[in-house]
Each structure stands twice: as structure tokens, then as C-alpha cells.
Amino acid sequence: MARYFLTTAIDYVNSRPHLGTAYEKVTADIIARYRRLSGYETHFLMGNDEHSQNVFKRAQEQGKDPLSYCDEMERVFRDVWKRLDVSYDDFIRTTDRRRHYPATQKLAQTCYDNGDIYEGSYEGWYCEGCEAFKPEKDLVDGNCPIHNTKPQWIKERNWFFRLSKYQQPLLKFYEEHPSFIEPEVRRNEILRLVEGGLEDISMSRTGQSWGIPVPFDRDSVVYVWFDALINYAAAVGYGWDDEQFKKWWPASLHVVGKDITRFHCVFWPAMLMSAGQALPAQVFGHGWVYFKGERMSKSLGNIVDPLDAADKFGPDPLRLYLAKEIPYGGDGDFTWERFEEKYNADLANNLGNLVNRVASMTERYQQGRVRATGGGSLAGVAAESVSAYRSAMDVHALHDGAAAAFRLISAANNFIAEKQPWALAKDPAKADQLNGVLADCAEAVRVAATLLLPIMPTSATEVLRRLGDEQPLADRRLDAGTAWRSSGEKQILNAGALWPRIEAEKGVVNVTDQPQTPAPEPQTPATPSTPPAAAAPATQAGPAPVETPAVITIDDFMKVQLKVAKILEAEKMPKSQRLLKLKVDAGEAEPRTILAGIAESYEPETLIGKSIVIVANLAPRKMMGLESNGMVLAASPDGGKAIVLNAEPADPGTRVR
Ligand code: MSP
């Protein structure tokens, strides 16, 4: 069985994990889970970086012995990762005396024996946040550009590693291994850096006790970065278990942030070359998660606690957001508003709605059972989605992988709108057709849920369970799980909403337990002055008095829920010149009826299939004996005919704002 050994950066423990550090662990976890699902024997390593001066100081501030402080922080970190469902196989700490000490000392000693470490003195600007010397040219107004703090001028006798010697071997290695550094933008940065020449780096610190003693100079400790990088080899046996090391080394992938790619793509490979060890296959430098456009930092006070984010809707919606909304390799933004919006769009309205629709209609029309058929157009979409997903996930384009799974989900929702199973159910002669539609949709959901297993492990497993597929996660395989099943029966469980819709009201978020009911939420202006249909063309004679429109806040505007809806049926209202009766798919469990004042503008049949915008949360209103649920948005020129706003190509249920 092919093996896959992947790692994340190990975290400094001077503060709790924030959403930025969590982003790295969650995305690496998605890659690890994808590899397991693809049949690789996978080893996923994470850990904590403890020999930092900042960690030492934080322990002192709290009056704690540094090791006990690190023990406490290990629990804090592990608890967060557990809550986010991060499935690491091993967790290493740099204070691990059994594994990390012998590995670090062996590697340092080997480089020394090979003539790559020499004694010298150094002075320069040292940033404690980065735990690194900073060239003067990299400072911005005298400050570290990452931490925005003034570095310290340090002058000390140190041991140096001959990094300069490895300039040409590194360039040759990059050339021979074009996929060693990803994405492309990081590769180019590193190439420019190395081509520009490399200076030797300090690999020890004097005058401090917190660290691993340098094996050939007991008065110095190993510099925290030299020490930290070795964790990847230490965890799998380097210096203490040759057999295990042979099994897992070299690593397949190091997932790290863009700020530390240079340590992983330059220092680390040079250290390994010096020690005569194989180099990892790949380093992926992901981007940063910003909060409202600013890098998360404690000093700016804009840290998002991943536990708060996970508590809001559960860990899976957060994992989906991080994977789908931030193109992997680029930077991305997190805001609570956007998180909520994507939750509603992707989960409440799209996947949750689909699961709910399929389960409730199957229960209502077929006692919860479907018989698979050959698979029509949806089988084709599924095959395309699976192949796009795999190509994307193989190159860590997690956002494209997630999008491919959601294309299948949207296609299944559109398929329902097009085939109208509720109409087929009225005609006993169409029972086979009805079964075919429901069976195809259920199968599409099953395939999509399989694709989503690495991203949303708990909820995808729950969706599969509702579809009668209860195989344990460890036994699932992507090939078998995503092949379209065109025979057999499924017993489908209608077990209620998976992701209740969130409605923002007066700035407070309410979780409703009826996300997919067709009736809009009663949350409207007290007495609508326009009918619950498109504002009818102006009828009053003469120019309307010029009024300054009242200014409203964004909160006021957000109370109006605008959504894309697809017109399924349209007919004239008897005895009305103005009103059309529309049946629209607004991405909900069942179509809703809206009476719209557009009969003078459109022949009903020309509207069928059009995507329009509706006000979805207008209080239902009775007109001419029928209840209208919502309002169609239309341009209403003075004295002219209403023009319905077109919302192609968005899917039914998409929020408009
Ligand atoms: N201890 C070093 C890594 C040593 S690896 C041998 C370190 N630790 S850290 O705690 O500062 O950062 C851990 C990881 O989190 C790094 O990969 C870093 O890039 C990443 N992130 C820190 N803030 C982040 C964001 N705001 N967004 C995304 N990733 C972020 O560096």
C-alpha cells in the first residue's frame, strides 16, 4: 500500500490556538483524510514547538515552571484539535526527551562531523515573535513586518550552519523537483531568495538554558528553529528507531504558513542534505486567514477563537468554510457575517435542503424506499464532479474539490425543480418516473456526501447513514464510494433538518428549527404598502411628489431576505387583470406560491424556467382567496409595465444582497 506522511507546522505555545493556526490544522486534516479515503497508509503528524523564548517568558509571567506550562498548553491545543475533528496520528513536542532530544542531537552532531557547523560571532536584529534574525532591509520603519514590533540588537558567539554552501545544491534540487514547493507563488519567492545568495545561519544560542544542549558544546542550546524543524524526522524514528524512520521518511508533504516557507524550503532541506538524509517530497505554503481584512493578531485584538467558531454551527460548517471559501495557497478573510451567509447558502439551503427534500418526499410518496435505476443526467454530473474533485484534491486545491462536490448538490436540487416529483406523485401512472427521480437524487447525495467525507467527516457520515450507508469510515474508499450505483434499494431515513437556517434579526442570530419550510418567517414590515407581488406600475396621475428616501442601515436592509427563485408554473388569476399566480422553487423543501402583479407585462408561459428575485420573508398575505408567500422583484417604470429582475445563472435559494 502506498504511504503518505504529512505534517503541519508545530505551534508556539505562548498563546492558545486562533483561527489562523486552526486553519492550517484543519486543511492538513482534510488532506490526510482524503489520502486515507484514497487508500494510502497515512501518517499525519502535528505537535507543539516549546523551546521558544516567548514560551519561556510566558511561563515565567505566570509563575510556572516552563515544562509544566507546556504540559498545560498541550492539553489546551489537543482539546481544540479534538473539537475541530483533526485526526492526527501522532503529536510531538520538542521537549519530548525520548524522541526529539536524540534526533536533534544526532542531526546537529552529524552536520558538525560533516564540517558544516563552525563557531563564529554574530550581531543583528532579532525578532522574538519570529524567533529569527531579520536583515535590516526587511524591517519596516525599524519594525518586524510580521509582528510590527522593534527587534532587539543581539551580539553573541554562536555556532553557525554553512547554509551558503548549499545554494547551488538547493537550486539544482528545486529544478529537478518542480513540485517541491507549492503553490507557484511561493516557489518563485524561494527561487529568488536562494538565487540572491545565502548567508550562514546561527544554529545555537548562548546564555540560555531553555532548549536542547548542543552535543558538542554543553554551554549552548540548539536555536529554536534548528530544533523545531527536526521534529518531522524525530517523530518517525530518526536517532532512535531506524526501522520506523525507514518506513516513513522522507515525508510526503509539509503543510506550513507562507511566513515560514523559507525555513522549510531552504534551511530544512540544507540541514537534511548535510546530514545525508532524503528530502521531503513537497512543502505547501498556505496563505493567511485575515479577520475583516487584517491579519489576526493578539495585539490588534482581532483573534477569532476557533472554539467560538465551531460552537456557532458545529465544527463541520467551519471546516467547510475554511476549505471552500479560501482558495488554498492564497489568503482569505473570515467574518462572522460571511460565515453565517455561507452556512445558510451551502448547508441550510443547498445540501441540507436537498437531504431533507429527498428524505421527506421519499417518505411521503414511497414509504422511505427508492429502487436505483440506470441513472440519467445526474449520473453524468456525478462522474464529472468526482473526476474534478479528485484532480483538485490531488494537487491540494481544496476549494476546487469542495466546489466540485457542491456542483453535484446544486445539480440535484435543480433536477428536483425540473422534474417536479410533487407533480409526478399526483399521477399513479408516473410512479416509476417518480421513483427514478428520487432514486437518482438519493444517489447523487450519496456520492456528494462521500466526496465531502474529508471536509465534513461527521455530517457527511450522518448523511450517508440517512441514506442507509453505514460502513465504518476507516473501511470507506473513494473509488467504491463514488461509483454510481444503478441497482439495489435504499431505505432512506427522514430525520429532520441537519443545518437549521440562521436568520439575523436585530443583530441577533436566531437558530430556527424549521429551516426548510416553505412558509416565510413572519418578520416583515407591519403593513406592506405594496401588494405581495411585484410593485404594480404606478397608477396615480401626474408626477409623484419628490421625496428624499429615508436612509436605512445595513441591518435594516439585511432584514429583507432576498432570494433567487426559479419559476416552475405561471398562470393567470381568474378575474384579475394584474395578477399572475406563480409557483416558484426558492431552494426550499417544496415550491411556494406567489401572486405577482405582472400579468400586464408577461404571458404566463414565457416566464416558466426563468430565475427571478423574490422577497422571501414577507408575511404571507391572502388575495382573491389565495395565500401569496413572498414578492417578486421587478423594475416598475412610471406609467410603464413591470420588468421582472432576472437572476440567471444563480441557483434557486441563493441569497441576494
Ligand atoms: N513554531 C513555528 C513553526 C515551526 S515548524 C517546524 C511557528 N509557530 S506559530 O505558532 O507561530 O505558527 C504555526 C503555524 O500557523 C504556521 O504555519 C503559521 O504560518 C500559521 N499561522 C499563524 N497565523 C496564521 C494565520 N493568521 N493564518 C494562517 N496561518 C497562520 O511559526
Side-chain angles (χ1 to χ4, degrees), residues 538-550 638:
T539 49
Q540 70 269 56
V546 179
E547 279 178 31
T548 313
D638 285 345

Side-chain angles (χ1 to χ4, degrees), residues 354-417:
L354 178 63
V355 173
N356 196 44
R357 277 171 133 182
V358 171
S360 61
M361 287 193 277
T362 307
E363 181 181 64
R364 196 171 329 137
Y365 305 139
Q366 312 202 143
Q367 295 79 47
R369 297 194 74 77
V370 288
R371 291 178 318 281
T373 60
S377 59
L378 270 188
V381 179
E384 181 278 324
S385 296
V386 171
S387 136
Y389 170 90
R390 295 184 83 133
S391 316
M393 298 295 278
D394 282 344
V395 296
H396 321 308
L398 310 184
H399 53 294
D400 287 335
F406 273 84
R407 272 204 299 284
L408 177 55
I409 293 159
S410 298
N413 264 323
N414 288 339
F415 187 71
I416 293 180

Side-chain angles (χ1 to χ4, degrees), residues 8-12 18 20-21 23-25 49 225 228-229 231-232 255-260 264 286-290 295-296:
T8 64
I10 51 174
D11 297 312
Y12 292 133
H18 58 69
T21 37
Y23 171 66
E24 175 175 287
K25 307 322 183 231
D49 190 356
W225 265 104
L229 289 161
N231 88 84
Y232 304 128
V255 174
V256 299
K258 65 177 183 180
D259 50 331
I260 59 169
H264 288 80
H286 62 75
W288 277 341
V289 180
Y290 290 79
R295 182 179 140 89
M296 270 181 217

